Amino acid sequence: MFNQLLVKMIPLMPKSLVWAVGKRYIAGLKIEDAVKYTKAFQELGGGTTIDVLGEFVSEKERAIKERDASSFVIDTIAREQLPSYLSIKPTAQGLGIDTEFAYENVKMLVAQAKKMGQRCRIDMEDSPYTDKTLDLYRKLQDEGYDNVGIVLQAKLKRTYTDIQSILKYKPNIRICKGIYIEPAEIAYTKKEDIRSNWMKCLQLIAENIPNGAYPAIATHDEEQLQFAEKLIKDNGFKKEQYQFEMLLGVREERRNRLLKEGHNVTIYVPFGEDWYGYSTRRMKENPEVAMHVFKAMFGIGQ
Ligand SMILES: Cc1cc2nc3c(=O)[nH]c(=O)nc-3n(C[C@H](O)[C@H](O)[C@H](O)COP(=O)(O)OP(=O)(O)OC[C@H]3O[C@@H](n4cnc5c(N)ncnc54)[C@H](O)[C@@H]3O)c2cc1C
């Protein structure tokens, strides 16, 4: 109850405090910060996916700036030879403005990445964009851009069917719970139901590994992690056939253990000036973190 109240208070919190807590989820304001994190994790044998913070852009000019910033990430990955790939937020590329315009922006990035021998992935945002994002992905695949992956959210009731509908592409799918608040008509709302759908969806992707599907297993949930580990072991999947993915600043010890146990692990590394939306979503997800902000605001336990 108190946690729910705290979550509602997040928009009222001073930005400086949100930054003080939210910065644990963000590499920093500049690409150099993302490079630094990538190199540090590379030393342990891991990789990253780099995201330029920004979303729900409402002007074409701004979307072009976002595209150019992402293009610079691809150049940087190549120049610094980083074990990394670009994650793309479709609304930062203009999906909320004009579908064709966004498609051209994303295509430019995917084509650039392909030319440089890199993969990239389209993140999934809230449900008004699910169909448009999947259409974008399908169109790119149909045009031969097999270096692009997608994200699907176990929270949405449609996701199992969505996976079935793209299996023909030998898809690289990041399967996650989904971070956006969605209406109960289209989404599971209980934690157990989301978890069980996540497992069902992962199982479906894993069954299709022999046909070329590739799961990016995105979770910090212990039950889900153990389910995935068992699935991998029972089926004898090789480390090249899947990867675990975690967010920067979350369950780092567990993440490093997965790495030590011989799995491929990728950290999601966001950077940029537009950190507010990303940070507050992470706080809403974990009210314990919001509690730190609350305590700081009122000088409790400091
Ligand atoms: C690599 C990656 C990419 C993602 N991309 C997308 C995307 O494109 N679209 C989308 O909707 N969602 C995305 N997500 C977010 C995802 O949907 C979930 O919201 C998020 O991963 C939390 O779900 P969980 O499975 O870790 O379970 P949870 O039950 O939320 O978390 C399990 C445990 O992890 C720890 N934990 C989780 N979150 C935090 C936190 N913020 N701070 C501290 N501890 C925490 C806690 O110990 C918690 O008990 C992504 C997640 C990852 C890992």
Side-chain angles (χ1 to χ4, degrees):
M1 187 72 176
F2 184 61
N3 279 350
Q4 280 168 4
L5 190 69
L6 262 185
V7 164
K8 286 207 175 101
M9 280 176 60
I10 289 173
L12 307 175
M13 291 174 176
K15 262 194 159 182
S16 56
L17 280 179
V18 174
W19 171 248
V21 177
K23 68 180 183 206
R24 73 181 262 200
Y25 305 116
I26 293 162
L29 301 179
K30 305 243 175 307
I31 177 105
E32 291 78 15
D33 301 313
V35 171
K36 193 183 81 191
Y37 271 96
T38 301
K39 286 189 173 168
F41 198 48
Q42 181 179 25
E43 289 210 349
L44 302 179
T48 65
T49 175
I50 300 178
D51 166 55
V52 183
L53 287 168
E55 55 195 353
F56 305 116
V57 161
S58 55
E59 285 157 16
K60 285 192 175 179
E61 249 176 37
R62 179 68 202 270
I64 286 167
K65 277 195 183 148
E66 296 284 341
R67 184 200 65 199
D68 292 348
S70 287
S71 166
F72 191 65
V73 171
I74 297 173
D75 282 341
T76 306
I77 291 173
R79 193 181 58 251
E80 303 269 348
Q81 299 187 325
L82 302 174
S84 191
Y85 71 85
L86 175 74
S87 278
I88 306 165
K89 289 251 182 316
T91 64
Q93 302 301 320
L95 196 62
I97 311 171
D98 174 346
T99 310
E100 195 50 37
F101 167 74
Y103 176 71
E104 288 304 324
N105 287 335
V106 175
K107 183 169 145 179
M108 204 176 283
L109 294 170
V110 173
Q112 183 192 352
K114 189 170 167 90
K115 206 167 140 199
M116 295 187 166
Q118 294 174 28
R119 303 202 59 81
C120 53
R121 188 186 302 283
I122 309 172
D123 281 357
M124 188 59 80
E125 298 172 278
D126 51 350
S127 58
Y129 298 103
T130 312
D131 275 325
K132 286 181 180 174
T133 304
L134 273 163
D135 285 351
L136 218 144
Y137 170 79
R138 288 194 183 97
K139 206 167 159 192
L140 287 164
Q141 288 288 342
D142 288 339
E143 288 194 24
Y145 294 105
D146 53 2
N147 62 321
V148 65
I150 186 90
V151 180
L152 288 168
Q153 302 152 324
K155 178 186 271 187
L156 296 187
K157 293 177 182 169
R158 56 179 286 172
T159 288
Y160 190 86
T161 318
D162 283 338
I163 296 171
Q164 286 174 317
S165 79
I166 58 170
L167 282 173
K168 65 172 180 182
Y169 295 122
K170 304 182 177 174
N172 182 322
I173 304 176
R174 177 192 296 152
I175 181 74
C176 65
K177 282 181 177 167
I179 197 165
Y180 302 89
I181 297 163
E182 299 290 357
E185 303 85 66
I186 60 162
Y188 298 107
T189 51
K190 289 195 194 124
K191 199 163 185 159
E192 312 83 70
D193 294 340
I194 299 172
R195 185 181 280 147
S196 108
N197 197 40
W198 185 91
M199 291 176 181
K200 206 173 123 191
C201 291
L202 176 61
Q203 178 99 39
L204 175 62
I205 306 168
E207 276 163 15
N208 284 280
I209 287 179
N211 306 325
Y214 182 99
I217 305 165
T219 187
H220 320 89
D221 180 319
E222 193 51 39
E223 268 189 52
Q224 291 181 188
L225 285 168
Q226 288 185 18
F227 175 84
E229 286 172 308
K230 186 168 180 328
L231 194 69
I232 292 160
K233 196 166 172 216
D234 290 352
N235 288 280
F237 291 132
K238 299 196 183 77
K239 76 181 279 192
E240 300 75 37
Q241 293 179 301
Y242 64 90
Q243 71 191 47
F244 285 91
E245 294 201 338
M246 289 197 181
L247 299 172
L248 183 69
V250 182
R251 298 207 67 191
E252 293 174 356
E253 228 175 272
R254 183 65 165 104
R255 177 191 82 196
N256 293 348
R257 180 143 52 92
L258 282 169
L259 206 54
K260 274 199 195 124
E261 286 168 357
H263 303 285
N264 279 322
V265 183
T266 291
I267 314 177
Y268 190 93
V269 176
F271 79 94
E273 305 278 343
D274 205 352
W275 50 268
Y276 185 79
Y278 185 84
S279 308
T280 50
R281 270 205 304 281
R282 303 268 95 81
M283 287 178 194
K284 287 178 189 160
E285 187 177 35
N286 189 354
E288 273 172 42
V289 175
M291 177 66 96
H292 292 307
V293 184
F294 177 78
K295 284 184 175 169
M297 264 173 89
F298 294 100
I300 305 166
Q302 299 299 305

